[in-house]
Amino acid sequence: MRHVVSVLVDNQAGVLSRVIGLFSGRGFNIESLSVAPTLDPTKSKMVITTTGNEQVLEQIKKQLNKLINVVKVIDYVGKEYVEREMIMVKVKAKDETRAEVLRIADIFRAKVVDISSNSYTLALTGDKGKLEGFIEILHPIGILDFIRTGTIVIEREMHTRRKLSL
Amino acid sequence: MKRLSGACAFIEALRCEGVKHVFGFPGGAVLDIFDAIMDAPDIEFILTRHEQGAVHAADGYARSSGKVGVCLVTSGPGATNTVTGIATAYMDSIPVVIFTGQVPTHLIGNDAFQEADIVGITRPCTKHNYLVKDIADLARVIKEAFYIARTGRSGPVLVDLPKDIMKDTIAFKYPDKVELDSYCPTYKGHLGQIKRIVDLILKSNKPVIYAGGGVIHSNASEELVNFARTMQVPVTTTLMGLGAFPSGDPLSLGMLGMHGTYAANMAVTDTDCLIAIGARFDDRVTGKIDEFAPKAKIIHIDIDPTSISKNVKVDLPVVGDCKMVLQGMLSQIREQKDEIRELHDHIRPWLECIDKWKKDQPLKYSQGSAIKPQYVIEMIDKLAPDDTIISTEVGQNQMWTAQFYKFQEPRLFLTSGGLGTMGYGFPAAIGAQVAFPDRTVIDIAGDGSIQMNIQELATVVQYNLPVKVMILNNGYLGMVRQWQALFYKKRYSQTSLAVSPDYVKLAEAYGARGLRVENPGDVKDAIQQALAIKGPVFVDFVVEPEEDVYPMVPAGAPINNMLLV
Ligand SMILES: Cc1ncc(C[n+]2csc(CCOP(=O)(O)OP(=O)(O)O)c2C)c(N)n1
Ligand SMILES: [Mg+2]
């Protein structure tokens, strides 16, 4: 099962490699990773997406907590949260496909961030599903280059019982 | 405030931690510290002959005394030579602080002479480690290093000290307390869980306690003995737990696992309530995991949450210090006299069954014309004083010691359990002898292992440490040979030690005493003679070459599936 785990750590040299080393040393899987400082510059937040059964996840969380530089670990499974990642894709755009690419970008609300005589570079944020759908549609047109960030998440404030999806 | 050099501040910090002994080896990157050590007669420095020996010695010092062991080495090769020692301490949760020299900060990352990224190298085998990049952090880092090493689940902490930091100066102040918001081990167990544990045990019919090294680390032996005797629950221990429960006690089952006793392995397989205390369900203990304690409700008390439900699904976990949780259990049962009486009644058949297992299949060996290694160990047990500290190397010598030396108290047995490091025993014995200069310290060694840190003979002679090394010389890497005999059709690939030194001459060459024993009839005299000698002694027991360790559970088999003699 896929899990999104956020890890609040001391913002110090070597902390990232402690966390990564723990995953590789214990045979845990990392699907994606994103790290950046928090509003408190002495702390960083990492978001790791990983897969594993309940027992593996339990171990991952405990092992992370055991690292001296780890302040807090949150597993988002069972929580309401907003998830985003971002991709930038350079797509072939020549003659007949030029308009088609823009149309697709519009439907997905992607932004054109660069342009050349035979390509567009599009940037899109969204959750995993949306990004994968976007890539699938663009594929037949011809993807020249592609880059993707790790997932980031934030917990929802539950003002209403309904799940808002904006 | 007086300004001190980094090197002097380092010494001052050791004083603040109450350090009396440091094991280590000098080099270019730590010249300033070694210079400062000359002016610190209150801190005794023990120069080992290899950095691995220094870490094992600090480890043996820590295991025997319960204090944090301290080690100081130079950068590069000095630092990398400590890795096996650190990993050994890490696997067995031993509190040691290792200080390594480092090239000056402006050269870090430049492939400078004798540079090694020791913080990177030891990240997975330390509890935590530090590179001090600013002298302003020095005192805080040392304070944290000692604190982290000895608290919670104890373990090794490494501090890397660049040369320029040791030359820099600072107005030294040692912090009063540690401020680590992300590190706060749980000591007190959950009261509700403690009550549930006691209830579960009181209702069980076939309870067994499985005690590990955690009981020794938390100094919880007395509480364990008290609890087991009050409840009449039999106790088996792991290799690391030997001594936590007196092996002379009628409730003692001895060690469990791959070379455990028949009674211990049968009891754990049959129990309906397994109480794991400070143990971690290592594969050498559990054998085939699906068939380990298959009928039992499992209770697990441990200070490290990651140990709980790691290998075996636990029914009743308690995170906490073994001593405090056992104290909680003891106060819980104080009011339950009737229930305890009832428990005694209904577990009587269980205790009888266990006694029968013990009588049917005791640990045994047969005498022959050659010296039997088990006999040597039994004689050492008989002749050495009660407070003798025993270390071992790794292999058959280690397993026979675990089986045939009857440990009655904690902290008398020093052995590399988790990592199984050949070459551990001799330097560990040095550390123990430094901690307890007036006690007898014996390394029960194999002829293979002893050669892995034999250079420490110079250390015992230099400091007149009267360590006794009893070599069970079988001419083989015996434990590996045993596996080859049992599972590889006796194809003894690279396990015969065709060439070995003359240990008597070798000891004498270093200025120690050496004895050789070839006949069973001379074993007793030789041990007595060795014990009477005031200085270090090597005793070379030429033993039966192809003796095997039994019982033995083949790797991956359930533990009630034992090969017996
Ligand atoms: C550093 C290291 N290398 C290899 C091993 C694998 N090993 C385990 S026991 C053993 C044989 C030890 O031989 P010896 O010290 O003579 O002890 P014996 O089993 O004969 O008593 C070996 C090679 C180990 N445990 N440690
Ligand atoms: Mg041998």
Side-chain angles (χ1 to χ4, degrees), chain B residues 341-373:
Chain B
R341 211 167 303 123
E342 238 170 77
L343 174 73
H344 291 175
D345 281 345
H346 71 248
I347 65 171
R348 190 163 304 135
W350 173 235
L351 296 180
E352 283 163 8
C353 170
I354 284 176
D355 275 337
K356 186 163 178 321
W357 282 328
K358 284 194 197 172
K359 288 208 184 75
D360 286 355
Q361 290 290 346
L363 290 168
K364 55 178 182 271
Y365 64 94
S366 54
Q367 294 289 1
S369 54
I371 300 173
K372 287 299 179 96

Side-chain angles (χ1 to χ4, degrees), chain B residues 394-397 420 422 446-449 452 474 476-480:
Chain B
V394 168
Q396 294 181 315
N397 59 85
M422 289 172 69
D447 48 334
S449 304
M452 286 211 176
N474 53 14
Y476 281 110
L477 299 170
M479 185 55 93
V480 183

Side-chain angles (χ1 to χ4, degrees), chain B residues 348-410:
Chain B
R348 190 163 304 135
W350 173 235
L351 296 180
E352 283 163 8
C353 170
I354 284 176
D355 275 337
K356 186 163 178 321
W357 282 328
K358 284 194 197 172
K359 288 208 184 75
D360 286 355
Q361 290 290 346
L363 290 168
K364 55 178 182 271
Y365 64 94
S366 54
Q367 294 289 1
S369 54
I371 300 173
K372 287 299 179 96
Q374 301 95 324
Y375 173 68
V376 176
I377 292 165
E378 283 184 333
M379 291 315 280
I380 295 172
D381 190 8
K382 205 161 146 195
L383 299 171
D386 288 347
D387 63 355
T388 297
I389 297 168
I390 301 284
S391 69
T392 71
E393 301 295 340
V394 168
Q396 294 181 315
N397 59 85
Q398 178 185 36
M399 290 300 116
W400 282 319
T401 305
Q403 293 178 332
F404 288 93
Y405 195 98
K406 301 301 172 197
F407 292 95
Q408 308 299 345
E409 277 176 56

Side-chain angles (χ1 to χ4, degrees), chain B residues 54-71:
Chain B
V55 187
H56 289 328
D59 168 317
Y61 183 90
R63 289 191 210 225
S64 58
S65 69
K67 293 187 218 156
V68 178
V70 181
C71 186

Side-chain angles (χ1 to χ4, degrees), chain B residues 192-236:
Chain B
Q193 287 293 84
I194 290 177
K195 200 172 160 324
R196 278 187 280 277
I197 290 182
V198 169
D199 288 346
L200 191 61
I201 300 172
L202 285 169
K203 279 201 237 93
S204 68
N205 295 311
K206 300 174 169 186
V208 174
I209 291 172
Y210 147 46
V215 174
I216 294 174
H217 297 326
S218 75
N219 298 312
S221 256
E222 202 183 312
E223 287 79 3
L224 172 68
V225 171
N226 236 329
F227 185 81
R229 285 188 184 152
T230 311
M231 302 287 270
Q232 286 295 298
V233 178
V235 180
T236 176

Side-chain angles (χ1 to χ4, degrees), chain A residues 35-99:
Chain A
V35 203
T38 62
L39 287 179
D40 170 359
T42 68
K43 300 280 181 281
S44 282
K45 195 178 242 179
M46 313 176 59
V47 179
I48 300 170
T49 59
T50 179
T51 48
N53 60 26
E54 202 183 313
Q55 201 191 344
V56 170
L57 250 290
E58 207 45 48
Q59 262 302 307
I60 291 179
K61 284 185 275 177
K62 286 176 176 175
Q63 293 286 357
L64 282 169
N65 270 312
K66 194 169 155 179
L67 294 178
I68 309 287
N69 296 123
V70 168
V71 182
K72 196 173 175 187
V73 180
I74 302 172
D75 179 2
Y76 283 87
V77 160
K79 288 191 160 56
E80 290 293 339
Y81 60 91
V82 185
E83 173 184 334
R84 288 290 180 273
E85 41 188 281
M86 178 175 156
I87 51 172
M88 292 197 277
V89 229
K90 200 175 286 174
V91 202
K92 228 188 258 170
K94 257 202 127 46
D95 312 330
E96 71 281 6
T97 58
R98 239 174 139 75

Side-chain angles (χ1 to χ4, degrees), chain B residues 380 384-385 388-392 405 425 429 433 440-444 466-470 527 531:
Chain B
I380 295 172
T388 297
I389 297 168
I390 301 284
S391 69
T392 71
Y405 195 98
Q433 190 78 79
T440 303
V441 181
I442 300 174
D443 173 29
I444 298 181
V467 170
K468 314 290 183 254
V469 178
M470 310 275 182
I527 294 171
L531 291 175

